[in-house]
């Protein structure tokens, strides 16, 4: 049975996590919001009939109480003919944005057959993303200048008209000044490079490119989504601690410094991306209807059919 046949079940996991986090919006406690989302998502996974494994999650087993890397999921563990599926989860992408009621907090997951998602450590990843028309035109092999000039040429728009999203971090000081020096616009974001990459992949958005360093797990989830949109994405692991270096070496060996193409990060077309909005942004946030039910809006990308759906769930 294809992974995509469990989309409705995986949707329950993200919508439950989003609803659980919603109660913490604006309360100044990202940790509590994350804990609520993790627990809600974890409970749903126990009800899904599959042999699942957390390929990327809340951290190493001794760091995370639930949804740790490698954790078995699902009610069909080890059963014959059970679907063996890898899940990359971020039960609450942008916890700080929930704490402070800022845009683009989401419960996200990517699902693919066992072994199809890069088993990446929770280190950093240098990323580049853009719309489908830029496939084969942009790459981490090139400099920011090269990629921006290529984008200007392919989109037939002046560089001064192009917008590049970069996370507002000290590590990007040089990148930001290079992009501005070339004459392109920089949109800084505090958090949320999954939503930013999805915006960059959308030719109708006001974002043309995503560049810079975010987390590797989010990079693998993004690659799954952009594979479904047939949009270009590349990642290169960036380790900043000895522990991350050792974990990355264990997971990817001598490819630790490689540039990973989108379809290496998500190596199957039988994959699904789901992002359920908590705070409004790329996806509407959780809201309540007159009966007091929570309405959760989700973006679902089915990679096999390259279908993107926006769906409302009433909880
Ligand atoms: C990155 C980014 C995420 O958190 O992980 C960022 O990929 C954390 O970066 O989208 P820092 O360690 O520099 O704070 C997010 O922005 C939100 O989870």
């Amino acid at each position: 049975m294809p992974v995509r046949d469990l989309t409705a079940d995986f949707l329950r996991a993200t919508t439950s996590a989003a609803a659980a986090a919603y109660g913490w919006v604006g309360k100044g406690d990202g940790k509590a919001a994350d804990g609520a989302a993790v627990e809600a998502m974890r409970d749903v996974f126990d009800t899904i009939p599959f042999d699942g494994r957390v390929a990327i999650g809340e951290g190493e087993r001794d760091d995370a109480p639930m949804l740790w890397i490698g954790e078995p999921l699902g009610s069909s563990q080890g059963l014959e003919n059970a679907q063996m599926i890898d899940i990359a989860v971020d039960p609450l992408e942008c916890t700080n944005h929930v704490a402070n009621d800022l845009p683009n907090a989401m419960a996200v997951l990517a699902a693919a057959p066992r072994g199809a998602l890069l088993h990446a450590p929770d280190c950093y990843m240098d990323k580049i993303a853009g719309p489908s028309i830029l496939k084969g035109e942009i790459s981490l092999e090139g400099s920011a200048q090269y990629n921006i000039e290529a984008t200007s040429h392919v989109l037939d728009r002046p560089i001064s008209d192009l917008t590049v999203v970069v996370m507002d971090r000290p590590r990007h000081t040089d990148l930001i000044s290079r992009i501005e020096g070339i004459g392109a616009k920089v949109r800084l974001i505090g958090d949320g490079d999954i939503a930013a990459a999805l915006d960059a992949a959308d030719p109708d958005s006001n974002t043309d490119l995503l560049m810079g360093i975010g987390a590797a797990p989010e990079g693998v989830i993004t690659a799954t989504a952009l594979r479904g949109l047939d949009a270009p994405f590349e990642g290169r692991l960036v380790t900043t601690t000895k522990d991350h270096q050792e974990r990355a070496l264990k997971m990817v060996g001598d490819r630790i410094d490689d540039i990973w193409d989108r379809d290496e990060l998500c190596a199957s077309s039988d994959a699904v991306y789901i992002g359920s909005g908590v705070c409004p942004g790329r996806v509407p946030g959780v809201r309540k209807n007159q009966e007091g039910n929570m309405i959760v809006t989700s973006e679902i990308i089915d990679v096999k059919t390259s279908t993107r759906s926006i769906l409302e769930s009433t909880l």
Side-chain angles (χ1 to χ4, degrees):
M1 185 163 83
V3 170
R4 54 202 292 262
D5 287 7
L6 290 171
T7 299
D9 291 293
F10 295 144
L11 179 63
R12 285 191 298 117
T14 57
T15 54
S16 300
Y22 176 64
W24 291 96
V25 169
K27 300 283 178 68
D29 190 344
K31 204 165 162 43
D34 190 61
V38 169
E39 202 166 330
M41 184 178 267
R42 185 69 188 75
D43 288 348
V44 171
F45 277 128
D46 282 343
T47 68
I48 302 175
F50 76 132
D51 182 342
R53 177 185 73 163
V54 175
I56 295 158
E58 287 295 284
E60 297 300 311
R61 181 169 194 162
D62 49 357
D63 297 335
M66 283 177 269
L67 298 179
W68 35 268
I69 295 172
E71 184 177 1
L73 300 172
S75 58
S76 305
Q77 282 297 320
L79 296 188
E80 204 179 334
N81 301 327
Q83 268 177 292
M84 298 179 75
I85 293 175
D86 271 354
I87 300 281
V89 279
D90 195 349
L92 194 55
E93 155 81 349
C94 303
T95 50
N96 299 334
H97 283 202
V98 171
N100 304 314
D101 196 0
L102 292 169
N104 282 318
M106 299 187 290
V108 293
L109 72 76
R114 184 65 48 88
L117 298 178
L118 180 73
H119 209 31
D122 53 342
C123 62
Y124 286 115
M125 177 184 275
D126 193 9
K127 306 171 186 178
I128 188 166
S132 189
I133 194 172
L134 292 180
K135 269 192 311 176
E137 304 289 345
I138 59 173
S139 170
L140 290 173
E141 295 280 5
S143 64
Q145 175 159 352
Y146 170 87
N147 287 307
I148 289 168
E149 287 174 348
T151 301
S152 169
H153 174 69
V154 171
L155 297 183
D156 192 22
R157 284 168 45 203
I159 284 176
S160 56
D161 180 46
L162 299 179
T163 298
V164 184
V165 172
V166 181
M167 285 185 69
D168 186 6
R169 295 291 191 280
R171 62 180 177 259
H172 292 146
T173 303
D174 177 50
L175 172 63
I176 292 165
S177 57
R178 273 186 281 127
I179 295 168
E180 290 171 343
I182 298 160
K185 293 180 274 188
V186 173
R187 180 179 307 124
L188 293 178
I189 56 172
D191 273 307
D193 66 1
I194 294 179
L198 281 156
D199 285 344
D202 179 353
D204 300 329
S205 80
N206 58 2
T207 301
D208 297 298
L209 292 169
L210 163 79
M211 288 185 189
I213 296 171
E218 282 85 337
V220 173
I221 293 172
T222 300
T224 305
L226 268 60
R227 179 168 178 149
L229 300 174
D230 196 22
F233 181 83
E234 286 181 352
R236 174 172 34 209
L237 296 182
V238 175
T239 56
T240 52
T241 66
K242 193 168 177 316
D243 176 40
H244 278 163
Q245 176 85 10
E246 283 166 4
R247 269 198 244 148
L249 276 169
K250 221 183 323 180
M251 290 178 174
V252 300
D254 59 4
R255 293 203 61 190
I256 188 166
D257 296 324
D258 281 11
I259 291 173
W260 295 81
D261 181 60
R262 179 196 75 191
D263 294 0
E264 293 181 294
L265 295 166
C266 172
S268 169
S269 63
D270 180 19
V272 172
Y273 163 84
I274 305 177
S276 296
V278 179
C279 298
R282 169 179 180 76
V283 177
V286 177
R287 67 182 200 281
K288 281 197 174 169
N289 66 13
Q290 284 174 340
E291 292 71 37
N293 302 102
M294 279 192 264
I295 311 291
V296 181
T297 304
S298 303
E299 177 177 25
I300 301 165
I301 297 173
D302 175 57
V303 176
K304 187 170 281 293
T305 59
S306 291
T307 310
R308 176 179 174 272
S309 317
I310 298 290
L311 194 143
E312 282 194 350
S313 308
T314 303
L315 280 74

